[in-house]
Amino acid sequence: MIRALFPLPIFLLPGGVTRLRIFEPRYLSMVKHALKNNCGFVLCVYQKDTIHNVPKRGAYVNIVDFNQDESGQLLIDVVAECLVDIEEVWIDADNLRQGRVARIESPLWNINEGNDEGIDEQLREALRRVHDANPELSALYPSKRYSDPIWVACRWLEILPVSIKQKENTLHLQYFEQIRDFLHTLINPN
């Protein structure tokens, strides 16, 4: 499928929600097109040294809410439906990046059958405390899925103050237990 590409310094995984401030005409046009045609666009990490600053992978997002800020600029909330491979990139007549994209159907990480531990209570409760302390972030997730280990891990990876490169490297890990261990080294280093 062909979709608009929006490169930003944001790391978003399936189920993730973020609020975007839209003010450039090309991106206002992108939002108008997405709403009119009931389709999404691809949010991808801005990469300085790639063609049109677009990486090989992004998150296909859908608009779930919109509003205006105090200055009248458009605010949209988007939710990541899935990750996509970006196979071809070009600039259209509106100076908007477009790309041919393909859904990635495989799971982010494999969970070992014998491991019923999933995400442990420590990481789950720490994420609840983060949401409780940050009402604006919490409001983006009206339905929190703390019992889903992949959901919890994804939300941590999105908000942790580590480089986007480190976050992207976690997508190359095969097993969920590796992600859990990585999160523990950052959140509970003791």
Side-chain angles (χ1 to χ4, degrees):
M1 69 182 145
I2 296 172
R3 291 292 183 263
L5 308 172
F6 195 178
L8 289 169
I10 295 175
F11 183 78
L12 200 62
L13 294 171
V17 182
T18 193
R19 179 164 292 151
L20 304 173
R21 177 174 273 103
I22 308 296
F23 54 89
E24 287 186 48
R26 61 182 166 170
Y27 296 120
L28 289 167
S29 175
M30 175 190 72
V31 169
K32 181 179 176 182
H33 174 80
L35 290 171
K36 179 181 176 185
N37 295 292
N38 197 28
C39 66
F41 56 90
V42 176
L43 187 63
C44 54
V45 175
Y46 179 91
Q47 287 190 343
K48 185 178 179 181
D49 56 351
T50 60
I51 296 173
H52 304 300
N53 309 113
V54 172
K56 298 279 185 203
R57 182 176 282 179
Y60 182 80
V61 299
N62 287 302
I63 300 168
V64 292
D65 197 12
F66 57 92
N67 210 328
Q68 287 184 324
D69 68 9
E70 59 283 346
S71 67
Q73 288 184 343
L74 177 64
L75 299 174
I76 62 170
D77 293 348
V78 296
V79 62
E81 182 181 306
C82 64
L83 294 181
V84 294
D85 284 322
I86 303 169
E87 299 168 350
E88 187 180 346
V89 180
W90 63 91
I91 304 291
D92 70 10
D94 293 328
N95 202 27
L96 185 64
R97 293 168 184 90
Q98 297 283 340
R100 187 173 312 282
V101 301
R103 295 173 71 94
I104 298 173
E105 300 294 342
S106 59
L108 290 173
W109 309 285
N110 296 315
I111 296 180
N112 288 328
E113 292 287 326
N115 183 356
D116 57 358
E117 187 179 334
I119 200 88
D120 59 53
E121 194 62 26
Q122 223 176 8
L123 293 173
R124 185 178 304 131
E125 287 307 311
L127 184 60
R128 279 184 202 188
R129 287 192 302 274
V130 167
H131 284 159
D132 290 345
N134 297 279
E136 194 171 308
L137 174 64
S138 183
L140 292 173
Y141 295 95
S143 299
K144 296 169 184 68
R145 298 179 9 218
Y146 296 120
S147 62
D148 178 347
I150 299 292
W151 188 87
V152 171
C154 287
R155 302 304 69 85
W156 271 120
L157 288 171
E158 291 165 351
I159 64 174
L160 280 170
V162 297
S163 74
I164 288 179
K165 184 69 174 162
Q166 283 180 288
K167 294 177 182 192
E168 288 176 330
N169 285 342
T170 65
L171 297 177
H172 300 295
L173 298 175
Q174 185 175 0
Y175 295 104
F176 175 75
E177 292 75 17
Q178 295 170 293
I179 297 302
R180 185 184 60 214
D181 293 346
F182 172 73
L183 292 173
H184 266 293
T185 62
L186 297 172
I187 298 165
N188 303 307
N190 297 328

